[in-house]
Amino acid sequence: MSNKKIVITIARQYGSGGKTIGEMLAKELGFTYYDKDLMRLASEESGINESLFAKADEKVKSSLFHISKKVYQGDLISPKSEDFTSDENLFNYQAKIIKELAEEGSCVIIGRCADYILKDYENVLSVFVHAPEYFCIEQAAKKHSMDLKELDKLIHKIDRQRAGYYKYHTGREWTDARNYDLCLDSSKLGFVRCVEEIIAYLKVRFGE
């Protein structure tokens, strides 16, 4: 792989193993891995309590989603404004951190609309990991002690939240393949092969 800074963003359906694939990929490539720590970094940057970032993490209030969409423009809201701790500004600060991390060095970033935030960056490879419902349920069952009906309900709830969050902040459909460079079905490839395919794509795109 070249010495160029490369950023890999991974959007993922719940239970598809996208997070695990991201962790494996970062380890294999020696890249820094970012997931929930993005909230901590955004909290430190803004001075806004991390718990507020956690509450708004990859979801929007249903009342907000039905009223309007706040497609990300890159602006930060002033601390003097009553909207300083709004969902939009929490997203803005997290986006600011994502951009800074992309400038700092090679990394893997999980979710949080990173593909959209970095869409104009030449050094970014965006990936969407998906899988059939049965596979996602099997994977979720390894983490949650629930019956199949409860697991199915949980998966649909989280995916619905992620899709709403993505639509609200980007104006795009989360599952639209046109948003990504590479879409992988983890049930057909397995996690190891998904990592191999992403690395193979990287080599074609950015060179050895």
Side-chain angles (χ1 to χ4, degrees):
M1 202 68 63
S2 68
N3 292 323
K4 183 178 180 180
K5 296 173 185 174
I6 296 172
V7 180
I8 303 168
T9 68
I10 298 182
R12 73 284 180 230
Q13 288 185 309
Y14 189 75
S16 67
K19 177 182 176 181
T20 301
I21 290 167
E23 290 172 333
M24 293 167 62
L25 183 65
K27 185 176 180 180
E28 179 71 21
L29 293 172
F31 287 11
T32 309
Y33 173 86
Y34 295 104
D35 186 4
K36 291 187 180 299
D37 37 3
L38 291 170
M39 293 183 284
R40 173 182 56 79
L41 294 170
S43 174
E44 291 173 356
E45 173 76 19
S46 63
I48 298 172
N49 195 296
E50 187 176 342
S51 65
L52 292 179
F53 285 95
K55 287 179 182 177
D57 189 33
E58 295 197 283
K59 53 183 175 285
V60 293
K61 299 182 183 72
S62 57
S63 58
L64 285 176
F65 183 63
H66 291 298
I67 292 172
S68 64
K69 296 177 180 64
K70 298 289 186 180
V71 176
Y72 172 68
Q73 301 292 332
D75 300 323
L76 295 173
I77 298 173
S78 168
K80 297 178 181 179
S81 170
E82 61 181 17
D83 292 327
F84 182 63
T85 58
S86 64
D87 283 4
E88 289 74 34
N89 209 36
L90 295 176
F91 182 87
N92 293 344
Y93 269 103
Q94 199 159 252
K96 181 176 186 289
I97 292 297
I98 287 171
K99 287 182 176 180
E100 290 174 355
L101 295 175
E103 298 285 352
E104 286 178 8
S106 295
C107 59
V108 174
I109 301 176
I110 303 295
R112 283 93 191 169
C113 304
D115 60 282
Y116 182 84
I117 293 164
L118 302 176
K119 61 184 171 55
D120 296 324
Y121 286 56
E122 293 292 330
N123 64 325
V124 174
L125 169 63
S126 58
V127 180
F128 184 77
V129 180
H130 60 96
E133 190 171 309
Y134 79 87
F135 183 85
C136 293
I137 289 175
E138 287 176 359
Q139 295 302 309
K142 296 176 182 179
K143 295 184 178 180
H144 303 281
S145 299
M146 300 177 176
D147 61 34
L148 294 181
K149 187 175 181 180
E150 289 175 322
L151 284 170
D152 184 59
K153 187 176 180 180
L154 175 67
I155 289 169
H156 279 89
K157 176 184 177 182
I158 293 175
D159 279 351
R160 188 167 59 249
Q161 288 174 337
R162 289 177 179 175
Y165 178 86
Y166 192 89
K167 178 80 170 183
Y168 186 79
H169 292 295
T170 73
R172 298 180 176 185
E173 296 299 328
W174 180 54
T175 56
D176 190 336
R178 293 171 295 182
N179 297 332
Y180 310 98
D181 297 309
L182 192 61
C183 294
L184 300 172
D185 184 337
S186 55
S187 72
K188 293 178 179 177
L189 295 176
F191 297 168
V192 172
R193 188 60 189 274
C194 280
V195 171
E196 292 173 349
E197 290 300 318
I198 295 170
I199 292 175
Y201 191 105
L202 278 178
K203 289 179 179 178
V204 172
R205 173 92 174 268
F206 298 111
E208 295 291 338

